[in-house]
Amino acid sequence: MESYPTVPGSDRDGRRPPAGGVRPEILASWQRSQSLGIDSERADLPVERDLDPDSRLIRAAAPVLTRLCERFSGVPVTVALADSRANIVERWGDPAGLELMDAASLVPGANVDERFMGTSSVSMVLSTRAPFVVVGHEHFLHELKELTCMAAPVRDPVGGTVRGAVNLSVPRALADPRMALVLQDATERIGERLLELSTARELELMHSFHQARERGGHAELDLGSGELSRLAGTAPPLAAQERLTLLERAVDLISSTGETFAEVPLAGSRVAVLRRRELHHGDAEGAAVEVSFRDALGTGTATAPDGRHVPLLNSSTEAAGANPSGASAEPPAAGPADAWLLLVGEPGVGRLAAEARGRLSLLNEAGARLGTTLDMRRTAEELAEIAVPRFADLVVVDLVEGVLAGEEPPPGRLRPGVALRRVAVWAGEGSRDTMTGGLNEPSGFPAGTPQARCLDTGRPVTDSVMTAALADDPADRVHPVDLLGEGEHSYLAAPLSARGSLLGLAGFYRRGRTKPYEQDDLTLAGE
């Protein structure tokens, strides 16, 4: 938890303190807010009207935050729960404080993301994925400057995914650093309750699937080995990347509200056909995804008792003949001996297993490929190529100038003023011939940026970056982040180290904010 900042000067006349009296990360957020044209006198917050009052997040948080407010009985404290999209989903606390929130349009459903509200504790938490305190004058909105707001992320203990954030607001004169510690304890308890709820529901769904299925020949995918197996016969051979692709596609189907099947091309003119089946058990709702295989020409195969592969009737071709419009139709169900259970889960929960396997696969590949050459530039390029697209949409690598010249890296942490040079920029094959600004040129990062924090702490950090807030490059070159398009993108900075010394840093970008970097991503990037 950030310590309470001590800022020189006063803002009693309603003006902001000089920039030198504001933490660099707050100043960077102000600059982004200003570039978005947010009115500091009164923000126009969008309101989501279709919130689920019985969501898992609210069910896990409500009893914990009710007790938290009881603990502060007699103190004008308000507590707000926001989801991962920065929508306020529930509020608790002092009636007078809730009235002030109503006056500031901080009502259930209001979106308090930096894009609409400017700098706030919730926006800083969802951006940095870490606890944060915003004190009075540090708020972008003037009407919040009399408050100290402290917020902490709510994480799912399995995988570290940020499910939301809890904000505690209190008048500045009554703020106590111990409140932040109590708040953090509360968010950890909410995470534990999320785990209890999801684990029980996942088990219920798995039980429901086994009870409901009427045909045999099924078996589960072994997430440890990644191998398909079934009760009888040998599973079709799959390459490591094919297994990973099937898991990822199964996760997408479980999370989908409309798709019921998908086809994934495989090596050897084969196609994997994935089907989604709805599951219900009590109040738990989810889906199972099964996979069967056919060749790309439309002929499926089954294993005969003597081990021979027997062609199946080309039902999909017949269906196409009956549908001259060419519209895609769901392929027919496979025979009993041809289906395997890939994944069972609730939307968003089953994703954890697939993402864990994806991280392991990426780490194994990095261990095999990186460090096979003493050419540091080539190693940086290999790192970028490995990470795109499985971990990032764009990778930028900056190394210490002296290290590139064969010198020993400076001892200790790298300060923001250290001389760096950009040695790699990669956004996939489509970016190979793009004239990217800054490549093979000196680079540097102002204090307060996630890159500077990474160099200063020697640890991975995550944040968001806006294309519009970046300096323009000459017309004949493209700023690296411009390769992702306009808008806000997720960013992760990871230090590059060898034998305890920092050599530079790698910057990983994901397009948009739909899949921000989480705690497990920070761990993977560090490794």
Side-chain angles (χ1 to χ4, degrees), residues 65 74 187 245 264 304 375 409 421 475:
L65 298 183
T187 56
T245 301
V264 178
D375 184 342
R421 182 169 292 271

Side-chain angles (χ1 to χ4, degrees), residues 251-288:
V251 167
D252 291 338
L253 281 178
I254 285 179
S255 300
S256 171
T257 57
E259 288 186 285
T260 58
F261 78 98
E263 295 185 345
V264 178
L266 304 174
S269 299
R270 296 178 306 158
V271 175
V273 180
L274 279 63
R275 292 178 177 81
R276 179 182 191 271
R277 294 177 54 189
E278 296 287 342
L279 296 178
H280 303 276
H281 188 96
D283 66 345
E285 296 186 2

Side-chain angles (χ1 to χ4, degrees), residues 370-513:
L370 295 180
T372 58
T373 173
L374 297 178
D375 184 342
M376 294 193 64
R377 288 179 181 272
R378 180 55 194 152
T379 299
E381 292 169 354
E382 288 178 337
L383 169 64
E385 291 167 2
I386 290 171
V388 175
R390 284 183 287 169
F391 188 70
D393 296 306
L394 166 70
V395 178
V396 176
V397 181
D398 300 278
L399 297 179
V400 176
E401 288 269 18
V403 171
L404 289 169
E407 301 173 4
E408 286 294 318
R413 298 170 181 172
L414 298 181
R415 298 301 174 183
V418 68
L420 299 170
R421 182 169 292 271
R422 182 151 298 161
V423 296
V425 175
W426 185 250
E429 288 293 336
S431 67
R432 186 178 294 279
D433 299 323
T434 303
M435 294 295 293
T436 305
L439 184 60
N440 296 320
E441 296 181 3
S443 58
F445 305 102
T449 61
Q451 295 93 335
R453 300 204 309 271
C454 174
L455 295 174
D456 184 48
T457 63
R459 296 193 301 270
V461 300
T462 184
D463 209 325
S464 59
V465 59
M466 293 200 59
T467 305
L470 301 172
D472 294 331
D473 277 298
D476 61 340
R477 297 189 304 179
V478 176
H479 190 284
V481 183
D482 288 339
L483 296 171
L484 302 180
E486 291 296 323
E488 187 178 15
H489 309 292
S490 299
Y491 177 75
L492 190 157
L496 300 173
S497 61
R499 301 182 301 278
S501 297
L502 291 182
L503 311 178
L505 79 160
F508 302 93
Y509 297 82
R510 283 179 181 166
R511 184 178 286 105
R513 291 285 290 164

